[in-house]
Amino acid sequence: MHWSQAAHAGDSLLSPALAAPNEDLTFAQLFSAAPVDCVSVSHGFLDYCHLIQHIQPYYSIPLLVLWVLLLLWLLNDTAEVYFVPPLRYWSARLRLSPCLAGATLVAVGNGAPDLVMTALAPTTLESLHIVICDTVCILCVAGGAVVYLRARAQLETKDPRSMSEVEPLNGSTYVAGAAWLGLALAYLLGLLVSSQINLGAALVMPTMYIGFMVTLSYLDNGAPFEVEPVMGPAPMLPGLAPPKEGGVGETIWWALTMPTYVLRWMLVPPSDFYWDRTRRIFASASPVALLVFALWSSGAGFRWFVTSSWSMAFAVLAIALSTVLLLCSEDGHLPRLYPLTTLLAKVSSVLLLLAIARELTVCFKTVCLFLGVSRFVLESTVVPWGNSLGDLVTAVAMVRQGQSEAAATALFAAPLFNVLVSAGLTLILTTSHGQVIALEDAMGQLKAGAVAIVACVVLLGALNFEKQVGWLGTFSLAGLYLLFMASVVVSELRGSALA
């Protein structure tokens, strides 16, 4: 298999109407006088292909840079304001410890994009390549961010040599996660070396994840989440009230970003244990808004919506739930359906993070296609960046809110979920009819898997010896990922030379 024929797996996550096979487009072709058919280039909320074609590059590129910065802010803010609160609520309600919450709710939520990506990849080898590159990105980038925030917090303490004022980490849990991840990667590399995968070999992978969960529950002795009771009147939801103190710049920024908060609160009902008129209105609008958002993001048209019995049933259920929340609840008292609203918040926040990350990925991919970057490079770098953005921003948000233990556990549990569950289910579906998968020319995947194992060891050492290594852990992870990307470029150049 030639790497220039790599799959467009990332495009399959777009709506069916927009997902189309991409052709290898060079910079000269796209910027030539002859018009280019942008239908072959997938787009998200914006049609970046037409944007670059119809606007001079001197203007389109700066606009895309500003758009990317806005999406990055939106992704980070959504994780911190909308994703973390329902996570804390359900962790407290289910009596989960921080590490178990990181290994279950966080890992499954962040692993949803990877599960879809690997399931829709056109070939098994390419789906495994995406999973392995995602693992490298999560361990190096998200792990490096957590190590950096922990090291900075250590320096900000009164005694820099002490971590007494920084939340301690339960070493046994993330060590177990790292051990299971190393075992999973070694098993996957063994399958690649064998060049053949049958149903029995595929069934081992989700079984290993069950073993990881059993091990984690046995080792974890942390106290469950405790939520402090709310006191006083309900505060205004973040982003809706103008800043009381601040300059003109902060007021302008609030005016520009306030519509995004309104739209997101309509999708993600509040989960902060308060209940006033504002929260009641947004929570009552969220079922219908979530249904519309799900239909829009899936690419289902209006005709399908009115002719599908399932969609009509969900519409009736959403309208009924919205009516009950609006008319049958009182301000100042949490309604009986409040757990359901927080569950909706968890689902909708994951979908929202996925949509924003997907938009970023499509934007990056379109620009790379305009510059003539091959799909092998895209699937090794840009696609994992989009899949791992959710892991990065949620890890940073949890550390900032004092949930470092959950973040550290999720750093190993999230890629473990991708390797054993996402890739495992894909292999099970492929081999379910007795088919044996033959893998050829898997040297690129083997090299990436070796890098993933090294990154797992480096991250484990950075977390386990954070007092001693400090910033060195972040620099080591960053350097390892830069070396990985350099090897991708070198492999691409060699392939082009041979072609």
Side-chain angles (χ1 to χ4, degrees):
M1 182 187 69
H2 194 275
W3 284 119
S4 64
Q5 301 173 344
H8 48 85
D11 302 332
S12 302
L13 283 178
L14 301 175
S15 60
L18 301 179
N22 290 332
E23 300 295 334
D24 286 334
L25 303 174
T26 64
F27 183 87
Q29 290 175 330
L30 288 171
F31 284 100
S32 62
V36 176
D37 183 13
C38 285
V39 176
S40 61
V41 181
S42 61
H43 56 86
F45 180 74
L46 297 177
D47 190 345
Y48 302 103
C49 179
H50 282 98
L51 178 65
I52 298 178
Q53 276 189 327
H54 293 232
I55 302 178
Q56 292 186 8
Y58 301 103
Y59 302 112
S60 60
I61 299 301
L63 288 176
L64 287 179
V65 171
L66 292 177
W67 177 242
V68 167
L69 293 177
L70 177 62
L71 289 177
L72 289 174
W73 168 82
L74 198 63
L75 192 70
N76 182 76
D77 188 71
T78 301
E80 189 166 354
V81 178
Y82 297 88
F83 178 84
V84 174
L87 170 67
R88 292 174 59 89
Y89 174 87
W90 279 102
S91 298
R93 188 174 182 86
L94 298 176
R95 305 288 295 175
L96 295 178
S97 65
C99 68
L100 284 178
T104 54
L105 300 178
V106 177
V108 174
N110 290 336
D114 306 88
L115 178 61
V116 177
M117 182 78 77
T118 54
L120 297 181
T123 66
T124 301
L125 195 61
E126 290 158 2
S127 67
L128 296 180
H129 182 68
I130 293 173
V131 168
I132 295 174
C133 291
D134 287 352
T135 301
V136 175
C137 189
I138 293 173
L139 293 175
C140 292
V141 180
V146 171
V147 173
Y148 166 78
L149 292 176
R150 297 276 301 175
R152 190 177 67 176
Q154 179 182 2
L155 292 177
E156 291 176 353
T157 57
K158 295 180 180 180
D159 183 5
R161 296 169 298 177
S162 175
M163 291 289 290
S164 59
E165 298 184 16
V166 181
E167 178 194 4
L169 297 177
N170 186 354
S172 61
T173 55
Y174 64 76
V175 168
W180 276 102
L181 179 58
L183 180 62
L185 290 171
Y187 182 78
L188 184 58
L189 294 183
L191 294 179
L192 292 173
V193 171
S194 67
S195 301
Q196 289 187 343
I197 304 176
N198 54 29
L199 180 59
L203 288 173
V204 174
M205 300 178 72
T207 305
M208 292 174 65
Y209 191 77
I210 297 175
F212 161 68
M213 295 301 301
V214 173
T215 303
L216 198 63
S217 61
Y218 175 77
L219 293 176
D220 177 46
N221 56 0
F225 272 104
E226 295 291 343
V227 179
E228 299 180 359
V230 296
M231 302 292 292
M236 181 62 69
L237 289 173
L240 300 185
K244 296 181 180 180
E245 298 180 359
V248 178
E250 293 185 4
T251 304
I252 295 176
W253 174 252
W254 168 82
L256 293 175
T257 58
M258 191 267 288
T260 68
Y261 284 100
V262 174
L263 293 175
R264 285 181 290 171
W265 283 125
M266 291 180 63
L267 282 173
V268 186
S271 305
D272 55 0
F273 292 91
Y274 287 100
W275 192 259
D276 58 357
R277 178 168 300 182
T278 302
R279 288 166 172 78
R280 180 160 58 92
I281 293 175
F282 280 116
S284 61
S286 62
V288 177
L290 179 59
L291 177 62
V292 174
F293 180 77
L295 291 175
W296 170 78
S297 60
S298 64
F302 179 76
R303 179 178 299 179
W304 176 86
F305 176 75
V306 297
T307 57
S308 172
S309 57
W310 281 102
S311 64
M312 297 303 295
F314 279 117
V316 172
L317 181 61
I319 294 173
L321 180 58
S322 296
T323 304
V324 171
L325 290 174
L326 181 63
L327 302 179
C328 301
S329 61
E330 298 180 359
D331 297 341
H333 301 280
L334 292 179
R336 293 183 178 180
L337 294 178
Y338 190 73
L340 181 59
T341 65
T342 59
L343 184 60
L344 288 175
K346 176 66 177 177
V347 174
S348 56
S349 62
V350 171
L351 293 178
L352 190 57
L353 288 172
L354 173 59
I356 300 172
R358 183 171 57 193
E359 194 71 23
L360 271 169
T361 304
V362 174
C363 181
F364 280 130
K365 291 181 67 176
T366 304
V367 174
C368 289
L369 289 173
F370 268 72
L371 299 177
V373 180
S374 72
R375 291 174 188 154
F376 168 60
V377 177
L378 290 178
E379 291 183 350
S380 301
T381 57
V382 177
V383 174
W385 295 344
N387 291 343
S388 305
L389 277 175
D391 300 271
L392 172 61
V393 295
T394 52
V396 171
M398 285 187 294
V399 172
R400 288 177 176 175
Q401 296 194 9
Q403 304 299 330
S404 294
E405 187 172 346
T409 306
L411 289 175
F412 298 104
L416 189 62
F417 178 88
N418 296 339
V419 172
L420 295 180
V421 179
S422 299
L425 290 180
T426 301
L427 296 178
I428 290 174
L429 292 175
T430 307
T431 59
S432 58
H433 299 290
Q435 179 182 359
V436 178
I437 303 174
L439 301 177
E440 299 178 359
D441 192 16
M443 184 57 64
Q445 288 74 22
L446 289 172
K447 293 180 179 178
V451 175
I453 294 177
V454 174
C456 181
V457 175
V458 173
L459 178 57
L460 176 62
L463 292 174
N464 200 37
F465 301 102
E466 59 181 354
K467 295 181 183 179
Q468 292 79 15
V469 300
W471 305 97
L472 182 60
T474 301
F475 295 144
S476 300
L477 292 169
L480 179 62
Y481 193 69
L482 290 176
L483 289 176
F484 171 72
M485 289 193 295
S487 67
V488 170
V489 175
V490 171
S491 299
E492 177 62 18
L493 294 177
R494 289 179 178 177
S496 301
L498 293 176

